[in-house]
Amino acid sequence: RKEVEQDPGPFNVPEGATVAFNCTYSNSASQSFFWYRQDCRKEPKLLMSVYSSGNEDGRFTAQLNRASQYISLLIRDSKLSDSATYLCVVNGANQAGTALIFGKGTTLSVSS
Amino acid sequence: SAVISQKPSRDICQRGTSLTIQCQVDSQVTMMFWYRQQPGQSLTLIATANQGSEATYESGFVIDKFPISRPNLTFSTLTVSNMSPEDSSIYLCSATLLTAENPPYEQYFGPGTRLTVT
């Protein structure tokens, strides 16, 4: 089983749509979870950290299910500018600065 | 967040030569890392750059091929040695801020160095 698995997509949606991405991870000891966004030919940028209670930042909502080792990202009211690759990222054990394990990314294309 | 700069931003090199990539962070950081992203792939960790000591390499990466230095908290270099076309990739530096005492230990990335080996 791969350490972090994502549906690669692509997800092609119209503006205003709601889209959800899912991710599973294999290391049950992982403590930190993130969604990063990567635009073409750019570096990954932190979109949001994912907390056990779930968290929301504007149109973006992240959920974590530790029992199922499952992470999700919901994007509401999609904008053209949301088009990018979304990377599910998991930290290792509870240790400061442990390197990140990246999923292969889910590609989103929002069209007008 | 942190501002991370890398140079060069891109280079085209001949096989058999070496290239050193520099990474500078504008904040005090705890950890620095070097990643590689090959075309169409996600990021793969090369090593953790340890201040004042040898880097910690991941499986499949060795010091002779990717020597790393980190002389202080905010600066690190990665050298890609004896390059071959298979080393063509984007190399990214990342850092965790010193103030990140508890999870989630967010990491920030430099803009990357796009290397092409001919």
Side-chain angles (χ1 to χ4, degrees):
Chain A
R1 181 180 175 185
K2 295 179 183 175
E3 293 191 82
V4 179
E5 291 201 63
Q6 294 180 249
D7 180 346
F11 285 64
N12 299 304
V13 303
E15 276 186 290
T18 295
V19 61
F21 304 142
N22 303 317
C23 167
T24 58
Y25 61 95
S26 62
N27 185 357
S28 60
S30 296
Q31 293 291 323
S32 301
F33 311 91
F34 311 92
W35 284 100
Y36 277 75
R37 169 191 170 132
Q38 187 170 29
D39 292 281
C40 187
R41 303 175 77 85
K42 297 287 190 181
E43 75 275 20
K45 291 189 185 298
L46 180 65
L47 179 65
M48 58 197 305
S49 301
V50 186
Y51 300 104
S52 295
S53 55
N55 47 301
E56 185 174 309
D57 183 2
R59 297 181 293 109
F60 300 85
T61 300
Q63 297 280 349
L64 169 65
N65 184 323
R66 284 186 183 269
S68 302
Q69 295 178 207
Y70 172 93
I71 307 163
S72 67
L73 176 68
L74 183 75
I75 304 175
R76 292 181 299 277
D77 188 23
S78 299
K79 311 291 185 190
L80 294 175
S81 57
D82 293 333
S83 298
T85 297
Y86 290 83
L87 303 169
C88 178
V89 184
V90 174
N91 196 304
N94 188 16
Q95 180 180 355
T98 304
L100 302 177
I101 303 167
F102 283 78
K104 291 189 181 295
T106 299
T107 300
L108 172 65
S109 177
V110 182
S111 56
S112 58
Chain B
S1 65
V3 175
I4 304 176
S5 59
Q6 281 184 238
K7 57 181 182 181
S9 58
R10 60 179 62 232
D11 208 340
I12 301 172
C13 302
Q14 291 189 338
R15 69 172 67 211
T17 63
S18 298
L19 175 72
T20 295
I21 302 167
Q22 298 181 7
C23 176
Q24 179 73 53
V25 188
D26 71 341
S27 309
Q28 294 287 301
V29 298
T30 54
M31 304 287 277
M32 295 181 73
F33 305 90
W34 287 96
Y35 290 82
R36 181 172 74 181
Q37 187 172 28
Q38 296 185 303
Q41 301 296 314
S42 193
L43 281 74
T44 300
L45 179 66
I46 297 172
T48 302
N50 300 310
Q51 185 195 359
S53 64
E54 191 172 290
T56 305
Y57 289 84
E58 297 299 304
S59 176
F61 298 96
V62 296
I63 187 170
D64 289 346
K65 176 67 176 177
F66 297 101
I68 289 171
S69 77
R70 188 181 173 192
N72 58 53
L73 279 175
T74 61
F75 183 79
S76 178
T77 67
L78 167 74
T79 298
V80 186
S81 303
N82 188 26
M83 287 183 283
S84 66
E86 292 71 34
D87 295 321
S88 297
S89 187
I90 299 171
Y91 292 85
L92 295 120
C93 167
S94 77
T96 301
L97 297 184
L98 194 63
T99 55
E101 296 178 349
N102 298 297
Y105 309 131
E106 296 168 350
Q107 286 189 21
Y108 301 92
F109 284 83
T113 296
R114 187 175 298 272
L115 172 62
T116 302
V117 184
T118 61

Short mmCIF file of all heavy atoms in Angstrom, two decimals, chain B residues 70-112:
data_model
loop_
_atom_site.label_atom_id
_atom_site.label_comp_id
_atom_site.label_asym_id
_atom_site.label_seq_id
_atom_site.Cartn_x
_atom_site.Cartn_y
_atom_site.Cartn_z
N ARG B 70 24.80 22.52 5.64
CA ARG B 70 23.93 23.47 6.34
C ARG B 70 24.78 24.12 7.43
O ARG B 70 24.76 23.69 8.59
CB ARG B 70 22.70 22.79 6.93
CG ARG B 70 21.72 23.82 7.48
CD ARG B 70 20.50 23.19 8.08
NE ARG B 70 19.67 24.19 8.75
CZ ARG B 70 18.67 23.90 9.56
NH1 ARG B 70 18.35 22.64 9.79
NH2 ARG B 70 17.98 24.86 10.13
N PRO B 71 25.49 25.17 7.08
CA PRO B 71 26.40 25.79 8.04
C PRO B 71 25.71 26.59 9.13
O PRO B 71 26.31 26.82 10.18
CB PRO B 71 27.25 26.71 7.15
CG PRO B 71 26.38 27.01 5.96
CD PRO B 71 25.58 25.77 5.74
N ASN B 72 24.48 27.02 8.90
CA ASN B 72 23.74 27.76 9.94
C ASN B 72 22.26 27.47 9.82
O ASN B 72 21.84 26.65 8.99
CB ASN B 72 24.03 29.26 9.84
CG ASN B 72 23.68 29.83 8.47
OD1 ASN B 72 22.57 29.65 8.00
ND2 ASN B 72 24.63 30.50 7.85
N LEU B 73 21.45 28.15 10.65
CA LEU B 73 20.02 27.82 10.72
C LEU B 73 19.25 28.20 9.46
O LEU B 73 18.18 27.66 9.20
CB LEU B 73 19.38 28.53 11.93
CG LEU B 73 19.58 27.86 13.28
CD1 LEU B 73 18.99 28.74 14.38
CD2 LEU B 73 18.96 26.49 13.32
N THR B 74 19.76 29.14 8.69
CA THR B 74 18.95 29.68 7.60
C THR B 74 19.48 29.41 6.20
O THR B 74 18.92 29.90 5.23
CB THR B 74 18.80 31.21 7.77
OG1 THR B 74 20.10 31.80 7.70
CG2 THR B 74 18.16 31.55 9.10
N PHE B 75 20.55 28.63 6.07
CA PHE B 75 21.17 28.44 4.77
C PHE B 75 21.56 26.99 4.57
O PHE B 75 22.06 26.33 5.48
CB PHE B 75 22.40 29.35 4.64
CG PHE B 75 23.08 29.28 3.31
CD1 PHE B 75 22.58 29.97 2.22
CD2 PHE B 75 24.25 28.53 3.15
CE1 PHE B 75 23.21 29.91 0.99
CE2 PHE B 75 24.89 28.46 1.91
CZ PHE B 75 24.36 29.16 0.83
N SER B 76 21.33 26.50 3.35
CA SER B 76 21.74 25.13 3.02
C SER B 76 22.08 25.06 1.54
O SER B 76 21.59 25.86 0.73
CB SER B 76 20.61 24.14 3.33
OG SER B 76 20.97 22.81 2.97
N THR B 77 22.94 24.11 1.19
CA THR B 77 23.24 23.85 -0.22
C THR B 77 23.07 22.38 -0.51
O THR B 77 23.29 21.52 0.35
CB THR B 77 24.67 24.26 -0.61
OG1 THR B 77 25.60 23.42 0.06
CG2 THR B 77 24.94 25.71 -0.28
N LEU B 78 22.66 22.10 -1.73
CA LEU B 78 22.58 20.75 -2.26
C LEU B 78 23.42 20.71 -3.53
O LEU B 78 23.25 21.56 -4.40
CB LEU B 78 21.13 20.38 -2.59
CG LEU B 78 20.93 19.11 -3.44
CD1 LEU B 78 21.17 17.87 -2.59
CD2 LEU B 78 19.52 19.08 -4.03
N THR B 79 24.31 19.75 -3.63
CA THR B 79 25.09 19.57 -4.85
C THR B 79 24.61 18.31 -5.55
O THR B 79 24.45 17.26 -4.91
CB THR B 79 26.59 19.46 -4.53
OG1 THR B 79 27.02 20.68 -3.92
CG2 THR B 79 27.40 19.24 -5.81
N VAL B 80 24.38 18.42 -6.83
CA VAL B 80 24.08 17.25 -7.65
C VAL B 80 25.37 16.92 -8.39
O VAL B 80 25.82 17.71 -9.24
CB VAL B 80 22.93 17.51 -8.64
CG1 VAL B 80 22.55 16.23 -9.37
CG2 VAL B 80 21.71 18.09 -7.91
N SER B 81 25.97 15.78 -8.06
CA SER B 81 27.31 15.46 -8.54
C SER B 81 27.28 14.51 -9.73
O SER B 81 26.35 13.69 -9.86
CB SER B 81 28.12 14.80 -7.42
OG SER B 81 28.17 15.62 -6.29
N ASN B 82 28.29 14.65 -10.57
CA ASN B 82 28.46 13.72 -11.71
C ASN B 82 27.12 13.47 -12.39
O ASN B 82 26.63 12.35 -12.46
CB ASN B 82 29.06 12.41 -11.21
CG ASN B 82 29.44 11.47 -12.35
OD1 ASN B 82 29.70 11.91 -13.47
ND2 ASN B 82 29.46 10.17 -12.07
N MET B 83 26.55 14.53 -12.88
CA MET B 83 25.17 14.49 -13.36
C MET B 83 24.98 13.63 -14.61
O MET B 83 25.87 13.54 -15.47
CB MET B 83 24.68 15.91 -13.64
CG MET B 83 24.40 16.70 -12.36
SD MET B 83 23.74 18.32 -12.68
CE MET B 83 25.22 19.19 -13.18
N SER B 84 23.81 13.04 -14.68
CA SER B 84 23.37 12.29 -15.87
C SER B 84 21.99 12.82 -16.24
O SER B 84 21.34 13.49 -15.43
CB SER B 84 23.31 10.79 -15.57
OG SER B 84 22.31 10.54 -14.61
N PRO B 85 21.53 12.52 -17.44
CA PRO B 85 20.19 13.01 -17.83
C PRO B 85 19.08 12.59 -16.86
O PRO B 85 18.09 13.31 -16.73
CB PRO B 85 19.99 12.37 -19.21
CG PRO B 85 21.37 12.25 -19.76
CD PRO B 85 22.23 11.91 -18.58
N GLU B 86 19.26 11.47 -16.16
CA GLU B 86 18.25 11.02 -15.20
C GLU B 86 18.12 11.97 -14.01
O GLU B 86 17.14 11.91 -13.25
CB GLU B 86 18.58 9.62 -14.67
CG GLU B 86 18.47 8.51 -15.72
CD GLU B 86 19.57 8.56 -16.76
OE1 GLU B 86 20.71 8.95 -16.42
OE2 GLU B 86 19.28 8.24 -17.93
N ASP B 87 19.09 12.84 -13.82
CA ASP B 87 19.03 13.82 -12.74
C ASP B 87 18.23 15.06 -13.12
O ASP B 87 18.01 15.94 -12.28
CB ASP B 87 20.45 14.26 -12.34
CG ASP B 87 21.25 13.12 -11.74
OD1 ASP B 87 20.67 12.31 -10.98
OD2 ASP B 87 22.46 13.03 -12.04
N SER B 88 17.78 15.13 -14.36
CA SER B 88 16.95 16.26 -14.78
C SER B 88 15.67 16.26 -13.96
O SER B 88 14.91 15.28 -13.97
CB SER B 88 16.63 16.16 -16.27
OG SER B 88 17.82 16.23 -17.04
N SER B 89 15.44 17.36 -13.27
CA SER B 89 14.34 17.39 -12.31
C SER B 89 14.22 18.80 -11.76
O SER B 89 15.03 19.67 -12.05
CB SER B 89 14.63 16.40 -11.17
OG SER B 89 13.54 16.27 -10.31
N ILE B 90 13.19 19.00 -10.93
CA ILE B 90 13.12 20.22 -10.12
C ILE B 90 13.57 19.85 -8.72
O ILE B 90 13.09 18.87 -8.14
CB ILE B 90 11.70 20.79 -10.09
CG1 ILE B 90 11.24 21.14 -11.51
CG2 ILE B 90 11.63 22.03 -9.20
CD1 ILE B 90 9.77 21.51 -11.58
N TYR B 91 14.47 20.64 -8.18
CA TYR B 91 14.96 20.42 -6.82
C TYR B 91 14.42 21.53 -5.93
O TYR B 91 14.56 22.71 -6.24
CB TYR B 91 16.48 20.38 -6.81
CG TYR B 91 17.02 19.16 -7.53
CD1 TYR B 91 17.20 19.16 -8.92
CD2 TYR B 91 17.30 17.98 -6.85
CE1 TYR B 91 17.64 18.03 -9.59
CE2 TYR B 91 17.75 16.86 -7.50
CZ TYR B 91 17.91 16.89 -8.87
OH TYR B 91 18.35 15.76 -9.54
N LEU B 92 13.77 21.12 -4.85
CA LEU B 92 13.11 22.09 -3.97
C LEU B 92 13.67 22.00 -2.55
O LEU B 92 13.86 20.91 -2.02
CB LEU B 92 11.61 21.85 -3.92
CG LEU B 92 10.87 22.05 -5.23
CD1 LEU B 92 10.20 20.77 -5.66
CD2 LEU B 92 9.83 23.14 -5.09
N CYS B 93 13.84 23.15 -1.97
CA CYS B 93 14.24 23.27 -0.58
C CYS B 93 12.99 23.61 0.24
O CYS B 93 12.11 24.33 -0.24
CB CYS B 93 15.26 24.39 -0.49
SG CYS B 93 15.64 24.98 1.15
N SER B 94 12.90 23.07 1.44
CA SER B 94 11.78 23.44 2.31
C SER B 94 12.29 23.64 3.73
O SER B 94 13.39 23.19 4.09
CB SER B 94 10.66 22.40 2.29
OG SER B 94 11.02 21.27 3.07
N ALA B 95 11.47 24.30 4.56
CA ALA B 95 11.86 24.58 5.93
C ALA B 95 10.66 24.61 6.85
O ALA B 95 9.55 24.93 6.43
CB ALA B 95 12.59 25.93 5.99
N THR B 96 10.93 24.22 8.09
CA THR B 96 9.93 24.33 9.16
C THR B 96 10.38 25.44 10.09
O THR B 96 11.54 25.48 10.48
CB THR B 96 9.82 23.01 9.94
OG1 THR B 96 9.46 21.97 9.03
CG2 THR B 96 8.80 23.11 11.04
N LEU B 97 9.45 26.32 10.48
CA LEU B 97 9.83 27.47 11.29
C LEU B 97 10.16 27.08 12.71
O LEU B 97 9.62 26.12 13.26
CB LEU B 97 8.71 28.51 11.28
CG LEU B 97 8.38 29.13 9.93
CD1 LEU B 97 7.32 30.21 10.08
CD2 LEU B 97 9.64 29.71 9.29
N LEU B 98 11.04 27.84 13.35
CA LEU B 98 11.48 27.60 14.71
C LEU B 98 10.33 27.68 15.70
O LEU B 98 10.34 27.04 16.73
CB LEU B 98 12.56 28.61 15.08
CG LEU B 98 13.38 28.32 16.33
CD1 LEU B 98 14.16 27.03 16.16
CD2 LEU B 98 14.31 29.48 16.62
N THR B 99 9.31 28.47 15.38
CA THR B 99 8.21 28.66 16.30
C THR B 99 7.21 27.51 16.27
O THR B 99 6.28 27.51 17.04
CB THR B 99 7.46 29.96 15.98
OG1 THR B 99 7.06 29.92 14.61
CG2 THR B 99 8.35 31.16 16.22
N ALA B 100 7.41 26.57 15.39
CA ALA B 100 6.47 25.45 15.28
C ALA B 100 6.79 24.42 16.35
O ALA B 100 7.46 23.44 16.12
CB ALA B 100 6.56 24.83 13.89
N GLU B 101 6.27 24.66 17.56
CA GLU B 101 6.61 23.79 18.69
C GLU B 101 5.79 22.52 18.71
O GLU B 101 6.18 21.51 19.27
CB GLU B 101 6.41 24.55 20.00
CG GLU B 101 7.33 25.74 20.13
CD GLU B 101 7.08 26.50 21.42
OE1 GLU B 101 6.07 26.22 22.08
OE2 GLU B 101 7.89 27.37 21.75
N ASN B 102 4.61 22.57 18.14
CA ASN B 102 3.72 21.42 18.17
C ASN B 102 3.23 21.10 16.78
O ASN B 102 3.34 21.94 15.89
CB ASN B 102 2.52 21.72 19.09
CG ASN B 102 2.96 21.98 20.49
OD1 ASN B 102 3.51 21.10 21.14
ND2 ASN B 102 2.73 23.19 20.97
N PRO B 103 2.66 19.92 16.60
CA PRO B 103 2.06 19.70 15.27
C PRO B 103 1.12 20.84 14.92
O PRO B 103 0.53 21.43 15.82
CB PRO B 103 1.32 18.37 15.45
CG PRO B 103 2.02 17.68 16.55
CD PRO B 103 2.48 18.78 17.47
N PRO B 104 0.97 21.21 13.69
CA PRO B 104 1.26 20.38 12.52
C PRO B 104 2.59 20.63 11.81
O PRO B 104 2.78 20.10 10.74
CB PRO B 104 0.10 20.73 11.60
CG PRO B 104 -0.22 22.13 11.90
CD PRO B 104 0.03 22.30 13.36
N TYR B 105 3.52 21.39 12.32
CA TYR B 105 4.85 21.53 11.73
C TYR B 105 4.78 21.87 10.25
O TYR B 105 5.34 21.20 9.41
CB TYR B 105 5.67 20.25 11.90
CG TYR B 105 5.71 19.71 13.30
CD1 TYR B 105 5.44 18.39 13.57
CD2 TYR B 105 6.02 20.54 14.38
CE1 TYR B 105 5.47 17.90 14.86
CE2 TYR B 105 6.06 20.05 15.67
CZ TYR B 105 5.77 18.72 15.90
OH TYR B 105 5.81 18.24 17.16
N GLU B 106 4.12 22.94 9.96
CA GLU B 106 3.94 23.32 8.57
C GLU B 106 5.27 23.61 7.90
O GLU B 106 6.17 24.20 8.49
CB GLU B 106 3.04 24.55 8.50
CG GLU B 106 1.64 24.26 9.02
CD GLU B 106 0.81 25.50 9.24
OE1 GLU B 106 1.38 26.61 9.17
OE2 GLU B 106 -0.38 25.37 9.50
N GLN B 107 5.39 23.21 6.65
CA GLN B 107 6.62 23.43 5.89
C GLN B 107 6.34 24.36 4.73
O GLN B 107 5.26 24.33 4.14
CB GLN B 107 7.18 22.11 5.35
CG GLN B 107 7.82 21.25 6.41
CD GLN B 107 8.56 20.07 5.84
OE1 GLN B 107 8.94 20.04 4.67
NE2 GLN B 107 8.76 19.06 6.66
N TYR B 108 7.35 25.14 4.43
CA TYR B 108 7.27 26.10 3.34
C TYR B 108 8.37 25.79 2.33
O TYR B 108 9.47 25.38 2.72
CB TYR B 108 7.38 27.52 3.88
CG TYR B 108 6.28 27.81 4.86
CD1 TYR B 108 6.46 27.59 6.22
CD2 TYR B 108 5.03 28.25 4.43
CE1 TYR B 108 5.44 27.79 7.13
CE2 TYR B 108 3.99 28.46 5.33
CZ TYR B 108 4.20 28.23 6.68
OH TYR B 108 3.18 28.42 7.57
N PHE B 109 8.05 26.03 1.07
CA PHE B 109 8.95 25.62 -0.01
C PHE B 109 9.55 26.81 -0.74
O PHE B 109 8.92 27.85 -0.91
CB PHE B 109 8.19 24.75 -1.02
CG PHE B 109 7.95 23.36 -0.53
CD1 PHE B 109 6.88 23.09 0.31
CD2 PHE B 109 8.81 22.34 -0.88
CE1 PHE B 109 6.67 21.81 0.79
CE2 PHE B 109 8.60 21.05 -0.40
CZ PHE B 109 7.53 20.79 0.43
N GLY B 110 10.79 26.62 -1.18
CA GLY B 110 11.39 27.56 -2.09
C GLY B 110 10.81 27.38 -3.49
O GLY B 110 10.08 26.41 -3.74
N PRO B 111 11.15 28.26 -4.41
CA PRO B 111 10.57 28.23 -5.76
C PRO B 111 11.11 27.11 -6.63
O PRO B 111 10.57 26.85 -7.69
CB PRO B 111 10.94 29.60 -6.33
CG PRO B 111 12.17 29.99 -5.58
CD PRO B 111 12.01 29.44 -4.19
N GLY B 112 12.16 26.44 -6.17
CA GLY B 112 12.68 25.31 -6.94
C GLY B 112 13.77 25.71 -7.91
O GLY B 112 13.88 26.87 -8.34
#
